[in-house]
Amino acid sequence: MFDALLLTQEDKRTFAQVSQITEADLPEGEVLVDVAYSSLNYKDGLAVTGAGKIIRQFPMVPGIDFAGVVRESTDARYQVGDQVILTGWGVGENHWGGMAQKARVKADWLVPMPQGCDAAKSMMIGTAGLTAMLCVQALQQAGITPQSGDILVTGASGGVGSVAVTLLANAGYRVVACSGRVEQNAPLLKELGAAEVIDRSELEQDAKPLEAQLWAGVVDTVGNKILAKALAQMQYGGAAAICGLAGGFALPTTVMPFILRGVSLLGIDSVSCPFEKRKAAWEAVIKALPAHFYQQACQQISLAEVPDFANKIIQGQVTGRVLVKL
Ligand code: NDP
């Protein structure tokens, strides 16, 4: 028997409880992993609270991320004792996930632990950090350099946002962090490398089709009016890497930034990101993240604390990354 956070549903309400399950309860897969850590992402918050229709089949073990050691494998790519990471692929959504002391998954979904990393560190990064790296790489591939101008990061105190601020600042970009919690989080965001922290309210009013050109690049985790405003404020030839919807999935914009300023919208998905690109992004983010990030922007919780933190993350009350110890 081992511990798992089990989600059940009654009268359309989701309940989360630490329960005892067995290996026989786990779904099929080629690799059985002893999970050391999971992490809490916005999507886990939606799943655990039931605030978003993330899970359609109950009971379910949530946890879109985990890291641990291979206990059994029928796939030649993974041997007993190998350290592995899993993020995405619908794990924790439609296949039992990382918030359990064991997980059985498809070998195709795993990534070998990159050199210089361990389970705890990899889950401080997690889906959020991987996604932040994919956003930064997309901007770089679009030709946005530190000389191009300022980069706006929205939802800056969240998981994706805090890693993006750190990665961009470390790569020499001038980062403007946009946050709804300036008073609380400006000191941390500046420590992570933001040159400036602006209040979310500055970007929340309706956007004109085109406004003053402020941003060479954007990493957007919130969508909706804030993204629309940022797009109207993009410099000629700028690019926006968009990955999130913490402020809503709408995008009330016009074609103007795209057809008059040649702005590019770069969609970022980490869930089904192909293996080679995923592996390269993992190696890059581990290499690029400075040691101070892990100390300043991460906290550790137990499995029993997940439901409480799930509520907090969907209410926008979590700062940085949350590591879940199994
Ligand atoms: P977090 O909750 O850690 O961060 C989101 C941040 O957005 C908050 O900290 C807050 O920052 C801001 N925010 C929260 N609510 C609102 C609101 N109503 N309006 C505007 N801003 C708000 O989540 P993650 O970093 O884990 O994920 C961020 C987003 O990215 C989510 O929508 C998530 O689903 C998505 N995502 C997408 C991935 C992909 O593959 N495409 C992968 C990972 C995440 P502040 O207080 O500083 O304003």
Side-chain angles (χ1 to χ4, degrees):
M1 301 286 269
F2 56 89
D3 287 349
L5 188 70
L6 212 59
L7 301 184
T8 53
Q9 202 178 41
E10 233 174 88
D11 296 333
K12 295 190 175 165
R13 284 184 63 201
T14 304
F15 296 89
Q17 202 169 15
V18 178
S19 310
Q20 293 277 297
I21 63 169
T22 67
E23 280 179 22
D25 296 319
L26 294 174
E28 288 185 3
E30 298 97 26
V31 187
L32 177 68
V33 179
D34 283 328
V35 178
Y37 293 95
S38 182
S39 82
L40 187 75
N41 294 276
Y42 187 81
K43 198 188 262 182
D44 297 310
L46 292 174
V48 171
T49 59
K53 277 210 173 75
I54 302 295
I55 293 170
R56 291 171 196 281
Q57 263 187 317
F58 292 87
M60 176 61 63
V61 173
I64 66 169
D65 292 346
F66 68 75
V69 177
V70 172
R71 175 181 272 269
E72 287 171 14
S73 170
T74 57
D75 187 283
R77 288 169 289 178
Y78 295 100
Q79 315 302 325
V80 174
D82 285 353
Q83 289 212 61
V84 290
I85 303 174
L86 182 141
T87 64
W89 297 116
V91 172
E93 297 181 58
N94 46 46
H95 184 101
W96 285 16
M99 293 195 189
Q101 289 173 318
K102 289 181 189 184
R104 195 185 282 118
V105 294
K106 284 193 175 177
D108 283 349
W109 298 340
L110 294 167
V111 173
M113 184 69 66
Q115 271 203 337
C117 196
D118 57 40
K121 231 170 147 182
S122 71
M123 286 297 103
M124 291 187 219
I125 297 167
T127 284
L130 174 68
T131 305
M133 190 72 223
L134 292 170
C135 288
V136 172
Q137 289 177 328
L139 291 181
Q140 288 170 334
Q141 280 153 19
I144 310 299
T145 68
Q147 288 68 46
S148 306
D150 288 0
I151 311 292
L152 176 73
V153 177
T154 65
S157 354
V160 177
S162 59
V163 180
V165 167
T166 312
L167 290 174
L168 287 161
N170 236 45
Y173 291 90
R174 186 174 187 279
V175 180
V176 177
C178 169
S179 173
R181 295 175 284 170
V182 172
E183 216 165 282
Q184 181 189 330
N185 286 334
L188 171 68
L189 290 167
K190 288 196 169 159
E191 277 167 29
L192 295 179
E196 229 179 289
V197 182
I198 62 170
D199 196 289
R200 187 197 289 169
S201 60
E202 287 185 35
L203 294 173
E204 263 172 346
Q205 311 93 29
D206 290 339
K208 293 181 189 144
L210 293 173
E211 299 190 4
Q213 301 187 39
L214 303 178
W215 320 117
V218 173
V219 172
D220 178 66
T221 71
V222 304
N224 217 339
K225 280 189 174 182
I226 290 173
L227 173 58
K229 189 80 162 174
L231 291 171
Q233 296 178 344
M234 304 272 322
Q235 286 176 17
Y236 192 91
I242 72 166
C243 69
L245 41 56
F249 61 73
L251 179 49
T253 188
T254 74
V255 298
M256 295 308 200
F258 311 103
I259 65 172
L260 294 182
R261 288 186 184 161
V263 166
S264 302
L265 207 49
L266 313 170
I268 305 300
D269 168 61
S270 66
V271 177
S272 307
C273 175
F275 179 78
E276 287 305 330
K277 185 174 178 183
R278 181 182 288 259
K279 188 165 161 276
W282 267 110
E283 284 162 2
V285 68
I286 286 157
K287 211 164 147 196
L289 263 187
H292 70 83
F293 173 82
Y294 303 98
Q295 281 131 31
Q296 289 170 330
C298 303
Q299 59 185 312
Q300 181 175 306
I301 64 170
S302 68
L303 203 53
E305 291 175 286
V306 168
D308 181 36
F309 273 77
N311 272 309
K312 286 187 180 155
I313 202 168
I314 57 163
Q315 285 163 22
Q317 290 169 3
V318 166
T319 298
R321 294 282 300 142
V322 179
L323 180 67
V324 181
K325 180 152 174 50
L326 270 314

